[in-house]
Every structure is written in C-alpha cells, then in structure tokens.
Amino acid sequence: MSLKQLQGHSIPKLKGAGHTAGGFFIIATEIAGSPIELEELSDQERNEIVKALSDIHCHGLLHEDIRPGNILIQRYHDTFRVMFIDFAFSKSISNKEEPEKEMAILKMMLGLDPTIGNGKLRDSRLT
C-alpha cells in the first residue's frame, strides 16, 4: 500500500493478488518490461533508474534486493520507462543512512559515482 502512488511509474500496476488453491500467494501486474542489460544503458537511462529508486525511498521503503533482474525497462521510440519489481525483501526505512546505502549499491551496479553523505562510500555489503 505504501507504494500505491508509484504504480505505473516506478513499480508495475497491480492487477490482482490472492492465494491459489495450493496455498501460494500470487501477484498479477501489468507487463513491465525486460530486465536491464547494463552495457546497453545510456547515461540518461541510468539516471532515470536512480530517480525511480529515489521515488521509492521517498515513499518510505527500501527495496533490499537491488540487482539487474529486479529492474525492468521498456523503450518506446523516444521514451524510456523503468520499473522496480520483487519487493519480497523490502522494508520501511528506519534511518537516513539506509536509503543512502541502497542508492550507493545501485549506483555502483550502474557504473555511476556511489559517493554518499560526507563523500565516503558507506556500503553495508563492505562492513
């Protein structure tokens, strides 16, 4: 629910959800694109991906599973659309350092400058 405002922008639109007869929980969303291929991204597209994660953070949520397979893109003529998927490990932001660390992980993956805060990289994977 905390990401409802982002549906269709930074996350896919939810079409439905429920349990199967076998007890599995399923989610149906709009078709959101294909996983990113890092070597094919332009600088502008990389910045759009950063902005999408920033929008998610502004709604108080950490994704907690940043990897190329969880970032889908669609290209139409002159437009580019990015969607984050798979929020199974997501959690609410509890302090200001958490989104900075997650953003640094994304920026490193995208080949962008990951410096945060006081100019030092503070990546939780390295500590």
Side-chain angles (χ1 to χ4, degrees):
M1 290 305 290
S2 59
L3 296 177
K4 188 173 183 174
Q5 292 176 325
L6 294 176
Q7 287 186 34
H9 302 285
S10 299
I11 65 170
K13 289 182 183 175
L14 180 66
K15 298 292 185 178
H19 289 88
T20 66
F24 293 101
F25 184 73
I26 58 170
I27 296 173
T29 67
E30 70 178 320
I31 296 174
S34 303
I36 61 171
E37 294 185 30
L38 296 169
E39 62 279 352
E40 294 182 8
L41 294 171
S42 70
D43 289 341
Q44 181 179 352
E45 290 170 340
R46 291 170 197 267
N47 289 327
E48 287 292 319
I49 293 168
V50 168
K51 183 185 178 313
L53 183 60
S54 180
D55 289 345
I56 291 167
H57 289 163
C58 286
H59 281 79
L61 207 64
L62 293 171
H63 186 278
E64 291 288 289
D65 193 13
I66 300 295
R67 56 189 169 92
N70 285 338
I71 306 169
L72 305 182
I73 60 169
Q74 291 180 348
R75 290 184 176 103
Y76 301 108
H77 304 291
D78 295 336
T79 61
F80 177 80
R81 182 175 164 192
V82 60
M83 300 278 177
F84 278 79
I85 61 168
D86 192 358
F87 285 81
F89 299 110
S90 67
K91 67 177 189 175
S92 295
I93 295 171
S94 62
N95 64 61
K96 71 175 190 157
E97 287 82 24
E98 288 177 330
E100 290 178 351
K101 288 177 184 179
E102 186 166 80
M103 187 60 75
I105 291 167
L106 176 66
K107 287 180 176 181
M108 284 191 309
M109 184 183 76
L110 294 173
L112 300 172
D113 181 7
T115 54
I116 56 175
N118 61 7
K120 295 181 181 178
L121 178 61
R122 296 179 308 213
D123 186 341
S124 61
R125 297 179 306 172
L126 303 175
T127 57

